[in-house]
Amino acid sequence: MCDELSRRHFLWRSGGGLGAIALAALEARGSEVLPRAKRVIQVFALGGVSHVDTFDYKPGLEKRDGMSMEGKVETFFGKPGNLLKSPFEFKQHGRSGLWVSGLLPNLATVADELCVVRSMTSKSNNHTPATFLMNSGFTMAGFPSIGAWASYGLGSEADDLPAFVVLPDPRGVPAGGPVNWTAGFLPASHQGVPFGTGAEPVKDVRPPAGEDPAARAAGLSLLGELDRADLAANPGEGALPARLRAYELAARMQLRAPEAADVDSESEDTKRLYGYDRKLTQGFARNCILARRLLERGVRFVQLFHGGAFGGNPRINWDAHEDVVANHSLQASILDQPLAGLLKDLRRRGMLEDTLVIFTTEFGRTPVTEGKGTRGRDHHPHAFSSWLAGAGVKAGTAYGASDDVGYHVAEHPVATYDFHATILKILGLDHEKLTWYHNGIRRRLTDVHGHVVEGLLA
């Protein structure tokens, strides 16, 4: 028992305590950032959600519908067509009067919870680097994701679940795959742990059937002795402590993970709220319910993807090149009820008071058609929309603006760095002080950029 306690103490200090160390470092530097939220759900809609068809109402686009833009604008595939008004009717909703299109009738009912950023910009118009940028602050692979930074800065509230959990879409992994939730050069203990969509959310955590508990305990004891001997002989080694902590966590997850993932134990009312009782919405609804259950059990950051990887199939993500009506209608019908249900459920349980919900996409879509005579929209990084809800945000508001047709940002541009800096501040972290020394550079989520967008904060 003494050896086990000693080993746990060592592992906490070498791995699990990094969040506390980082937080102490921030306080030692005189940081005055106070946390408004203690946990996060990030919903990432893959493929590029059209801002002018969801949260950015453009009467000017309606007036100019059909106007040729050939030779006047640049697009990703180089085929600018005509301006296309939104085929979805916009209305104002809630006490706030926030504009939301008919594409998202359920999210419209929680308009007063949303803080919509209508002036987002991206550095890339290509899916994979733009997805990396939104998740890690860099268009290149290998940099820590925002969930890993949150885990490093704040640590975990749970002993038997990871600090950072990833819920991929049942239809497939996102562009770039696990790079989107990597710990990069941070200790491996901060990387996202992907949960599956079946009855066994984490593979291979259960002990083999029929295994003798005494033999297993003896084997673990011997392994612990070998580990300690190896650590004593290699005091500067960082990979082994991280791996040991991962194995210890896996052992504790053997009972906890299946219980946390038992979505079927939820009440029938809750299942209906999320749309878990409908075939079309069931997969995403399950992940939304699971995200809430994980937060309740101490997980710090849950990254929830909507949409799978790209392979020419417009039915598995928001990449509406051919027909924005067909593509976005399908994707919205899968996402709308479960995501609105998540916000309502968090609110009624009192969890929205200290939970930050983030809705992001890698870029928007052009207000012009992709080529003449088509109904699709191309990639568009110059202006798009994201939103925040929950702790610390100015609910029922819209920040920034795009121009009359939604092509360029006209007011208060928000770069990805600014968005990330603001999220970290809501979590009580200073984006300029949350750093890790790597290859001669004091690295951070926001690189050398970023300003907190005070207009988003309550």
Side-chain angles (χ1 to χ4, degrees), residues 94-439:
R95 297 185 306 276
S96 61
L98 198 69
W99 289 98
V100 183
S101 87
L103 190 64
L104 302 165
N106 289 284
L107 281 171
T109 66
V110 290
D112 288 335
E113 302 283 12
L114 308 183
C115 177
V116 179
V117 186
R118 293 178 178 159
S119 52
M120 293 291 301
T121 64
S122 177
K123 292 170 61 176
S124 177
N125 58 4
N126 196 342
H127 288 296
T128 301
T131 300
F132 289 165
L133 179 66
M134 184 58 77
N135 284 320
S136 73
F138 291 82
T139 56
M140 300 172 289
F143 288 87
S145 61
I146 185 171
W149 280 112
S151 172
Y152 163 59
L154 297 175
S156 177
E157 290 189 313
D159 292 329
D160 47 11
L161 287 169
F164 176 22
V165 172
V166 181
L167 304 177
D169 192 296
R171 296 173 291 178
V173 298
V179 173
N180 289 291
W181 52 83
T182 181
F185 42 74
L186 293 177
S189 57
H190 299 297
Q191 70 185 11
V193 176
F195 274 32
T197 58
E200 188 175 5
V202 183
K203 301 295 183 183
D204 303 320
V205 296
R206 295 181 185 271
E211 182 182 53
D212 180 19
R216 178 175 176 79
L220 290 174
S221 178
L222 175 59
L223 182 61
E225 292 179 15
L226 294 173
D227 290 340
R228 286 190 289 274
D230 193 283
L231 287 169
N234 301 279
E237 175 61 41
L240 181 57
R243 180 166 293 186
L244 293 178
R245 185 167 181 266
Y247 284 139
E248 280 208 335
L249 177 60
R252 294 193 296 272
M253 285 174 61
Q254 287 180 357
L255 294 176
R256 192 58 160 171
E259 182 274 331
D262 186 13
V263 171
D264 289 330
S265 66
E266 294 282 331
S267 70
E268 294 304 315
D269 174 66
T270 297
K271 293 175 185 176
R272 285 192 298 270
L273 176 66
Y274 284 82
Y276 188 65
D277 57 335
R278 298 171 54 223
K279 182 177 180 180
L280 181 65
T281 54
Q282 188 173 78
F284 189 63
R286 178 191 181 280
N287 279 355
C288 286
I289 298 172
L290 179 54
R292 189 217 79 218
R293 290 175 64 89
L294 290 170
L295 292 188
E296 286 178 314
R297 289 156 178 79
V299 173
R300 180 74 67 182
F301 197 107
V302 179
Q303 188 178 34
L304 204 166
F305 285 96
H306 183 263
F310 302 88
N313 184 354
R315 294 183 59 81
I316 64 172
N317 53 55
W318 295 79
D319 202 17
H321 287 287
E322 291 79 18
D323 187 333
V324 70
V325 174
N327 174 272
H328 273 35
S329 294
L330 174 62
Q331 302 309 320
S333 66
I334 297 171
L335 171 137
D336 182 43
Q337 183 183 353
L339 186 50
L342 174 61
L343 292 176
K344 292 175 181 178
D345 200 19
L346 291 173
R347 172 60 72 193
R348 72 182 184 180
R349 292 171 187 265
M351 294 176 64
L352 205 56
E353 303 299 328
D354 55 9
T355 301
L356 176 64
V357 182
I358 309 165
F359 177 84
T360 58
T361 183
E362 64 264 47
F363 41 60
R365 307 209 73 84
T366 56
V368 304
T369 59
E370 186 174 328
K372 289 188 175 292
T374 73
R375 302 291 290 178
R377 300 191 190 275
D378 205 346
H379 304 178
H380 195 69
H382 307 306
F384 63 102
S385 297
S386 294
W387 55 257
L388 305 167
V393 306
K394 194 177 292 184
T397 62
Y399 180 87
S402 59
D403 61 25
D404 284 350
V405 297
Y407 193 88
H408 286 294
V409 169
E411 180 181 319
H412 304 314
V414 177
T416 306
Y417 310 112
D418 306 322
F419 196 60
H420 286 165
T422 307
I423 292 168
L424 290 182
K425 179 167 183 177
I426 292 171
L427 290 172
L429 300 169
D430 187 326
H431 74 105
E432 293 183 337
K433 296 177 180 178
L434 183 67
T435 63
W436 184 271
Y437 191 75
H438 174 70
N439 281 351

